[in-house]
């Protein structure tokens, strides 16, 4: 390691121990913030997955008039398929509907009332990324008035929840996540600013003897790295323990296998660096 | 070596220095004398390029105030040592660290630092106090540490702004003797003082400054 770096590391470490109380506050706040951000991240991933599952279940069911010929069903299918928002159409015959009913409720309705009362239907799936609630309503209305269609039903509330509130939930989550990260940067910047203010004489002397700006800044950047890094390491530890605990209690909770564990640490180093740069910019400007 | 050409310096519209013309050659000893507020410190700060002239130009070795960029100033400072009345030492470090600081800050390789620090501390007569914390030193000793720090990078000129201002008579005399020794080794010296009675050097040039102007 070059002398300059060794010096910068030593001074960075000294900076931490000089402003001990501020350092402890910053490191613990970074740790808490990143732990919250990490938990939030997992929560968002799980919400995202749930919304994805719900999206794949969005379909309209068009019940057909009894006795509709196969040709008429095919022509209906073709007409419906012309809308680009329609992903696929599944024809469920009266017999298939009866079988489903039996599987779901365990009773043979035909035997009970002497005939099969269930109509044939077309299950119309909508592209997950396409189609607002209004568009789906439009498709439903259009299908409703087609010849051979008796009734169109769909989970209006579920569609509204997924299409409208899903995005809002994710956007609010992302907003809060970014806010947490910003508060970490601000806290680190503030501690570094305190350290720099306590070191004004040192910086004056450094300038006096011909130290370059980069040389003066380096120990403070390292201090920020260390503060962020320690906070990040603590957060990573807490999240790992939380992960092990939650996985043993709720095995279905973590269904993704992203290598996310080093993320808080990497993030924290970035936060530390950003915080220091912010403080230094402010200091050198003033 | 130092060429000050028609320099004016205004602060808040008020002239602090007016039409200063001055040349200092290699190895010269120059005193700038005058009462408080005459502009002595401003003149030294201009040479050190802590401030830049409002009008006119200053050339210090290869550095020219009219075109100098902020990133070049640290390199000028390595060739121009400066000491102040209030020493400007790092109070939380010892004598050795204060001197070594100037070498660390300018990227001198580690193996050379120790040797150079011991050398300049010997020059100013403080070898025996190298690990003494700064608050435990007398005023005269503090000024000698400041001088050792200024000399650590082997500047061609030493700027001394009222270096005896905070010292008693005995310490002042010792410091003047030390400055004479440094000068004899070839370092030019530009010293600002209001104590004209302290000047006992026949080989030195004397410049009188009053209300920002050099007296003829």
């Amino acid at each position: 390691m070059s002398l300059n770096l060794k010096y910068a590391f030593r001074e960075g470490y000294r900076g931490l121990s000089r402003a001990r109380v501020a350092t402890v506050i910053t490191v613990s706040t970074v740790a808490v913030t990143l732990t919250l951000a990490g938990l939030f991240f997992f929560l968002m991933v799980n919400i995202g997955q749930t919304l994805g599952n719900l999206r794949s279940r969005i379909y309209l069911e068009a019940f057909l008039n009894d006795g509709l010929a196969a040709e008429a069903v095919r022509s209906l299918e073709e007409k419906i398929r012309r809308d680009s928002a329609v992903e696929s159409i599944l024809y469920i015959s009266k017999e298939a509907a009866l079988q489903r009913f039996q599987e779901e409720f365990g009773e043979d309705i035909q035997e009970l009332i002497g005939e099969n009362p269930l109509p044939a239907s077309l299950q119309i799936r909508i592209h997950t990324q396409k189609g607002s609630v209004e568009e789906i309503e439009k498709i439903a209305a259009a299908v409703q008035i087609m010849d051979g269609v008796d009734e169109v039903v769909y989970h209006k509330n579920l569609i509204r929840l997924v299409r409208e509130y899903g995005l809002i939930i994710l956007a609010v989550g992302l907003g809060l996540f970014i806010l947490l990260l910003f508060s970490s940067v601000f806290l680190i910047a503030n501690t570094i600013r305190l350290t720099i203010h306590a070191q004004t004489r040192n910086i004056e002397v450094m300038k006096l003897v011909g130290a370059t700006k980069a040389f003066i800044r380096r120990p403070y950047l390292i201090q920020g790295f260390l503060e962020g890094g320690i906070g990040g390491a603590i957060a990573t530890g807490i999240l790992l323990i939380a992960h092990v605990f939650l996985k043993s209690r709720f095995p279905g909770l973590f269904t993704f296998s992203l290598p996310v564990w080093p993320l808080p640490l990497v993030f924290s180093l970035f936060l530390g660096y950003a915080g220091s740069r912010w403080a230094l910019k402010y200091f050198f400007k003033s | 070596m130092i060429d000050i050409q028609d320099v004016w310096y205004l602060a808040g519209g008020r002239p602090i220095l007016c039409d200063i013309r001055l040349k200092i050659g290699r190895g010269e000893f120059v005193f700038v004398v005058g009462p408080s507020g005459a502009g002595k410190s401003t003149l030294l700060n201009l040479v050190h390029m802590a401030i830049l002239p409002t009008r006119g130009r200053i050339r210090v070795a290869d550095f020219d105030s009219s075109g100098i960029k902020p990133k070049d100033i640290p390199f000028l400072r390595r060739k121009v040592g400066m000491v102040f009345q209030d020493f400007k030492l790092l109070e939380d470090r010892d004598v050795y660290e204060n001197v070594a600081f100037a070498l660390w800050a300018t990227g001198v390789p580690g193996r050379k630092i120790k040797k150079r620090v011991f050398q300049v501390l010997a020059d100013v007569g403080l070898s025996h106090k190298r690990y003494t914390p700064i608050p435990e030193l007398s005023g005269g000793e503090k000024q000698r540490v400041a001088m050792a720090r200024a000399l650590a990078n082997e500047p061609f000129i030493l700027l001394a702004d009222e270096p005896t201002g905070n010292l008693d008579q005995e310490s002042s005399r010792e410091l003047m003797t030390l400055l004479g020794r440094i000068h004899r080794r070839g370092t030019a010296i530009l010293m600002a003082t209001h104590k004209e009675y302290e000047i006992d050097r026949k080989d030195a040039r004397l410049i009188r400054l009053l209300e920002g102007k050099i007296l003829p």
Side-chain angles (χ1 to χ4, degrees), chain A residues 11 201-202 204 207 210, chain B residues 77-78 88 90 93 101:
Chain A
E11 289 299 306
R201 168 54 72 99
N202 284 26
E204 192 188 350
K207 284 181 179 172
Chain B
R77 303 260 169 94
R78 295 174 192 191
K88 293 197 193 301
L90 304 173
R93 294 168 201 225
F101 192 74

Side-chain angles (χ1 to χ4, degrees), chain A residues 17-264:
Chain A
S17 47
R18 268 191 213 114
R20 211 166 287 158
V21 176
T23 302
V24 169
I25 292 170
T26 305
V27 167
S28 45
T29 315
V30 169
V32 170
T33 311
L34 284 175
T35 306
L36 284 176
L39 290 173
F40 217 76
F41 176 77
F42 296 133
L43 191 69
M44 294 320 292
V45 170
N46 274 284
I47 290 176
Q49 279 180 339
T50 310
L51 287 176
N53 286 340
L54 287 177
R55 266 200 199 104
S56 65
R57 283 190 210 159
I58 290 174
Y59 62 85
L60 309 172
E61 189 145 31
F63 293 106
L64 307 177
N65 292 333
D66 263 354
L68 200 64
E71 191 59 37
V73 173
R74 256 198 305 279
S75 131
L76 247 180
E77 274 186 43
E78 263 170 43
K79 260 198 220 168
I80 296 167
R81 219 184 285 277
R82 276 181 211 144
D83 196 308
S84 63
V86 173
E87 190 187 48
S88 64
I89 299 172
L90 177 70
Y91 173 67
I92 298 167
S93 65
K94 277 178 79 73
E95 293 71 33
L98 183 67
Q99 201 183 335
R100 280 190 181 189
F101 186 91
Q102 279 176 347
E103 277 166 16
E104 272 181 47
F105 299 101
E107 288 198 47
D108 191 344
I109 192 169
Q110 198 166 12
E111 216 176 72
L112 276 173
I113 59 171
E115 60 168 334
N116 178 4
L118 300 171
S121 67
L122 289 176
Q123 229 175 52
I124 308 161
R125 288 196 182 273
I126 310 295
H127 275 296
T128 50
Q129 302 307 324
K130 282 184 192 169
S132 62
V133 175
E134 287 72 27
E135 258 183 282
I136 291 168
E137 279 174 352
K138 221 168 78 187
I139 295 169
V143 174
Q144 177 71 67
I145 54 167
M146 286 179 187
D147 280 345
V149 174
D150 180 36
E151 192 188 0
V152 178
V153 295
Y154 58 101
H155 302 291
K156 203 170 178 175
N157 289 338
L158 178 68
I159 292 171
R160 196 170 284 279
L161 176 82
V162 173
R163 299 273 176 192
E164 287 188 351
Y165 300 115
L167 269 180
I168 295 171
I169 292 167
L170 284 176
V172 168
L174 191 69
L176 282 172
F177 182 69
I178 290 169
L179 203 69
L180 283 172
L181 295 186
F182 264 112
S183 64
S184 291
V185 172
F186 178 75
L187 275 162
I188 293 173
N190 212 37
T191 320
I192 304 271
R193 260 175 58 191
L194 284 176
T195 315
I196 294 175
H197 275 290
Q199 299 258 311
T200 310
R201 168 54 72 99
N202 284 26
I203 293 173
E204 192 188 350
V205 172
M206 281 196 229
K207 284 181 179 172
L208 182 74
V209 297
T212 58
K213 203 171 159 184
F215 180 91
I216 297 171
R217 287 158 52 110
R218 212 171 290 145
Y220 302 107
L221 288 176
I222 287 171
Q223 188 186 335
F225 259 124
L226 289 175
E227 280 178 346
I230 296 169
I234 294 171
T236 306
I238 294 172
L239 287 172
L240 265 172
I241 293 167
H243 180 233
V244 171
F245 174 75
L246 289 172
K247 209 169 180 179
S248 66
R249 287 287 174 97
F250 312 100
L253 196 61
F254 297 99
T255 48
F256 58 94
S257 58
L258 287 169
V260 290
W261 297 115
L263 276 183

Side-chain angles (χ1 to χ4, degrees), chain B residues 88-127:
Chain B
K88 293 197 193 301
L89 295 173
L90 304 173
E91 296 281 329
D92 59 342
R93 294 168 201 225
D94 62 25
V95 170
Y96 177 90
E97 284 180 312
N98 264 274
V99 181
F101 192 74
L103 298 163
W104 283 326
T106 49
V108 174
R111 61 187 184 283
K112 289 187 180 169
I113 289 180
K114 203 169 184 178
K115 193 176 164 196
R116 181 69 190 144
V117 174
F118 286 157
Q119 205 172 7
V120 282
L121 285 180
D123 288 347
V124 300
L126 280 177
S127 298

Side-chain angles (χ1 to χ4, degrees), chain B residues 157-185:
Chain B
I157 186 164
L158 180 69
L159 309 177
D161 189 6
E162 302 272 9
T164 60
N166 275 339
L167 306 183
D168 58 37
Q169 219 174 348
E170 179 59 28
S171 301
S172 295
R173 212 172 10 250
E174 279 173 19
L175 197 84
M176 293 305 288
T177 309
L178 178 60
L179 279 173
R181 234 174 26 232
I182 293 164
H183 175 239
R184 269 199 300 281
R185 288 186 191 167

